[in-house]
Amino acid sequence: MTAFFEEDQCVQLECGAEKDTILGNIYIGKVKNVVKNIQAAFVEIAPGMMCYLPLEEAKNAVYTSKIPSNRLVAQDELLVQVKKEGIKTKAPGLTADFCLTGQYLVLTHGNTRIGLSSKLDSGCKKRLREWIVPFENETYGWIVRTNAANVSEELFLSEAAELSKKYEAIVKNAPFRTCFSILMKNDSYCTQVLKNRYHKNTEEIITDQPDFYEEIVQYKQQSEHPCKVSFYQDDLLPLSKLYNLERELENAQKERVWMKSGAYLVIQPTEAMTVIDVNTGKCIAKKEQQETFLKINKEAAAEIARQLRLRNISGIIVVDFINLEQENDRRELMRYLENFLNQDPVKTTLVDMTRLGLVEITRKKVKKSLSEQLGQKS
């Protein structure tokens, strides 16, 4: 299990099942059939392993074997990357617009634009854009990650050159590989965690796994971010007990989440969305009721943002806050919630508040939710 703490509070949990994920792998897949009415193709990436490829994401495909046609057809063989893991009855999702992810940059096949993280300030964006411009290409583009904010030019350019070289090798060698070959395996579980979480604000990484410790130390040597790396060993008090991870995991599976004020959240996943209800609970307003409601809602907003990360909830989220009569209070709540959502490393968007007072949020699907990792029904 992996846990992330911010200000002594657990904000994310991941379970070991993620070690064997195919997410991010690049294969030579074979098109089995194209279904026009859903604008998608079903592609086999291993014998009997069928995946789903939207036709929109096959426009820039790299073919290793092409049946004569100006469009995607059955028996075509092409490079595909696993974009979404299979969930319940849904097949894994693929894209032909594959990407290569580094600590500071993402190389994007098919999309030739240069994108920069919205969390970078204007000065950083200007500097980093100037650095990456020489690597502009007609077949791929770049996304500059938040982690690049304080990286040196030397390390930044070194990673860009490394990713470019890796991309060229994949495309060049693909025609000589057989169908179902894996051209690129995703990073090890430990490296994936480090790429997504290790940045200048990381103060310490603690592990009780010897192989992870060696990998973390090696990874840290390639980075400029100062960070303490510790190997924990105590047979009487395991690391999971020290940080109460069993209790954190248990609480993260409960439908009801209590807050310090005595109010609570009810989190209910459905097939189409996740519904969150805010309740006053044991919090009794003695004076200004609307003022109390705003205070509870703001406490709930911070906790909701944490729960989305902790449980890795994605897709559509609808929140029913306690009703606020004043428009100014509603605007204040929305600003407060958006501030916390912006701290999420996964793209999370505060859509709007409906006329019924329901708040709509979307969160990008990157990995399985915590309940899915644990094999639970949701």
Side-chain angles (χ1 to χ4, degrees), residues 158-212:
S158 173
E159 182 169 278
E162 182 184 340
L163 291 174
S164 296
K165 185 177 179 181
K166 191 174 183 179
Y167 172 87
E168 289 164 6
I170 289 172
V171 173
K172 182 179 178 180
N173 295 331
F176 304 102
R177 302 290 298 275
T178 59
C179 187
F180 304 147
S181 293
I182 302 179
L183 299 185
M184 187 191 81
K185 290 202 72 171
N186 58 354
D187 292 315
S188 70
Y189 175 73
C190 184
T191 299
Q192 287 182 59
V193 170
L194 292 170
K195 278 186 177 181
N196 292 325
R197 302 294 167 191
Y198 180 45
H199 50 72
K200 65 183 181 68
N201 295 325
T202 305
E203 295 180 359
E204 185 176 12
I205 302 174
I206 307 171
T207 182
D208 56 1
Q209 302 294 316
D211 52 340
F212 280 11

Side-chain angles (χ1 to χ4, degrees), residues 7-65:
E7 297 179 356
D8 296 325
Q9 190 174 42
C10 185
V11 296
Q12 186 172 339
L13 289 168
E14 289 184 5
C15 295
E18 290 292 296
K19 291 182 182 180
D20 301 321
T21 179
I22 62 171
L23 188 68
N25 286 1
I26 297 177
Y27 297 85
I28 297 178
K30 177 178 282 190
V31 179
K32 299 301 287 184
N33 64 312
V34 178
V35 186
K36 292 183 179 179
N37 63 338
I38 62 170
Q39 288 295 294
F42 288 93
V43 179
E44 200 173 15
I45 61 172
M49 189 170 186
M50 207 66 66
C51 302
Y52 178 87
L53 172 65
L55 297 185
E56 185 67 26
E57 300 197 30
K59 291 180 178 178
N60 303 300
V62 175
Y63 292 94
T64 58
S65 177

Side-chain angles (χ1 to χ4, degrees), residues 1-5 10 12-14 208 238-253:
M1 184 190 301
T2 304
F4 303 89
F5 285 81
C10 185
Q12 186 172 339
L13 289 168
E14 289 184 5
D208 56 1
L239 191 60
S240 59
K241 296 287 186 184
L242 179 66
Y243 285 90
N244 295 314
L245 297 188
E246 288 89 349
R247 188 182 66 185
E248 294 284 0
L249 185 62
E250 182 183 351
N251 290 338
Q253 298 173 69

